[in-house]
Amino acid sequence: MREVVQNDEKRRRESVGRPGAGRGGRPGAGVRRALLLLALLALAPAGCGRTGGHAPGGGPAAGQQPEQAGPARALMSYAGRLRAEQAARVAAARRWGLRRVPLPAPAPPARKPHITTREGFEVDGQEELGLPPVLTTVPTRDKVVFLTIDDGAEKDPAFLRMMSDLKVPYTAFLSDFLIKEDYGYFKRMQAAGVTLNNHTLHHPYLPALSYARQKAEICGMQRVLEERYGRRPTVFRPPYGNYDRNTLRAAKSCGIRYTALWDEEVFVDHWDYREGDRDLHPGDIVLTHFRGRSEWKGTMPDMVRRFLNKVTAKGYAVARLEDYL
């Protein structure tokens, strides 16, 4: 049976035991539009609009409000909210030591892209059996990337605060043997809008297991996620990125619709790339791990800074993977 091996070296060495602003903090298009409309309203002649109901001096009759007060007030309120949101983003970026304010993601696509297995990542009978497609990137023209974080070993409260402050979306792929010491940490993550996906119960090298044992690993994690977090996810990532046909058959039987791998991996001190051009592309899935100083030369906030500084400088926003699947 053909086996798809993504990362043998990693397997050997790793035994995991909004309308907003533009670059550099400038007001975004939404703010500029709102301010322009306010300026136009301020410059409009007093006599514009209806002519009835005014007192002889040209002002409003007794008991009436100026005709533009309602729309102008609403517009001023909207512009104020945009300015407040932008100020909060600028302050959060400064507080967490970012070089630039992260770019806001575009609205989710009204029509989600059609997902197929990446060429060269197929298994025998993939289409005939209707097995979950294997993807490393999402087909989109949006200049976005997707941050995904694996396993659950490190439970850094500063990371949760940072991501909440910056309002950066991400997706977690969890293994039960690492999260069970603190299910509550990931409950707080879920409450902040993060999707918790399947990364098996014990993080094994799946192609070495029988179909029955692979199914137990994947379906078992589905049950944990449903019992602890109220939902069975539809997205799965095989440990180390390695799988075979039995993996995808088992995943399908457990309710999985997509097998998400990655195109880049970010660490505290460097990036790894799948593609020869060593660059980001629209729709790329970026992998990292829940890690801290015991295994990295830094913290998870350090990793997030490296990630955001690069993607923002390249003109990319971070979007929610689930919005495109």
Side-chain angles (χ1 to χ4, degrees):
M1 178 179 296
R2 179 173 179 269
E3 167 191 331
V4 182
V5 177
Q6 296 296 318
N7 205 335
D8 272 348
E9 178 60 27
K10 182 185 296 296
R11 175 167 58 88
R12 284 195 296 271
R13 72 171 188 265
E14 179 184 333
S15 346
V16 275
R18 9 170 238 177
R23 288 171 133 193
R26 294 193 303 272
V31 176
R32 292 195 298 271
R33 285 195 297 270
L35 294 176
L36 177 60
L37 287 171
L38 281 173
L40 291 174
L41 283 172
L43 294 172
C48 289
R50 297 187 303 273
T51 57
H54 285 254
Q64 293 187 6
Q65 293 295 319
E67 294 191 27
Q68 292 177 342
R73 189 180 301 114
L75 193 54
M76 290 177 68
S77 176
Y78 174 64
R81 287 198 305 272
L82 293 181
R83 287 195 298 269
E85 289 172 6
Q86 174 61 9
R89 290 171 66 86
V90 171
R94 185 180 301 117
R95 184 162 55 249
W96 291 102
L98 302 183
R99 294 175 192 153
R100 303 184 185 190
V101 179
L103 300 173
R111 188 172 185 178
K112 296 189 178 185
H114 177 60
I115 306 296
T116 59
T117 293
R118 174 173 172 157
E119 185 176 356
F121 287 62
E122 307 91 344
V123 298
D124 293 340
Q126 177 117 24
E127 290 190 11
E128 295 84 349
L129 296 172
L131 300 180
V134 181
L135 62 150
T136 65
T137 187
V138 172
T140 179
R141 294 181 180 177
D142 293 343
K143 203 168 183 185
V144 297
V145 295
F146 308 101
L147 179 63
T148 63
I149 311 179
D150 278 11
D151 65 46
E154 181 74 9
K155 302 163 187 69
D156 185 349
F159 167 75
L160 293 184
R161 292 195 301 271
M162 181 181 194
M163 301 305 271
S164 179
D165 281 356
L166 294 170
K167 294 181 171 49
V168 174
Y170 60 101
T171 296
F173 288 88
L174 304 178
S175 290
D176 186 53
F177 86 108
L178 290 170
I179 69 171
K180 64 183 179 181
E181 67 187 42
D182 190 357
Y183 286 123
Y185 179 85
F186 301 96
K187 188 70 174 178
R188 295 192 293 276
M189 186 178 293
Q190 183 188 42
V194 177
T195 300
L196 308 180
N197 284 322
N198 190 321
H199 200 43
T200 71
L201 287 171
H202 303 100
H203 205 274
Y205 178 70
L206 289 172
L209 305 183
S210 67
Y211 170 79
R213 290 180 64 193
Q214 293 196 49
K215 183 175 179 180
E217 281 286 338
I218 300 169
C219 287
M221 192 62 199
Q222 291 287 82
R223 286 191 293 273
V224 168
L225 291 167
E226 183 174 32
E227 290 168 4
R228 293 288 176 175
Y229 304 108
R231 63 179 297 274
R232 295 170 70 91
T234 60
V235 187
F236 162 68
R237 174 171 287 159
Y240 316 106
N242 296 333
Y243 60 96
D244 59 12
R245 184 171 67 170
N246 280 340
T247 310
L248 301 186
R249 288 178 56 225
K252 179 182 178 181
S253 75
C254 301
I256 295 298
R257 295 180 57 198
Y258 303 100
T259 303
L261 301 186
W262 60 90
D263 222 37
E264 294 88 24
E265 183 171 3
V266 61
F267 299 84
V268 165
D269 55 353
H270 71 282
W271 285 68
D272 283 344
Y273 300 86
R274 188 183 295 276
E275 312 301 338
D277 63 4
R278 299 180 61 79
D279 203 359
L280 299 174
H281 318 91
D284 277 358
I285 299 172
V286 180
L287 163 69
T288 192
H289 288 80
F290 289 96
R291 293 288 185 274
R293 290 190 181 277
S294 62
E295 296 181 63
W296 276 352
K297 298 177 181 178
T299 64
M300 291 195 71
D302 294 332
M303 175 277 298
V304 173
R305 270 188 289 275
R306 175 171 287 273
F307 168 75
L308 288 175
N309 283 338
K310 183 181 184 70
V311 300
T312 306
K314 291 274 187 177
Y316 284 86
V318 185
R320 291 180 72 252
L321 179 62
E322 294 74 26
D323 287 342
Y324 288 73
L325 298 180

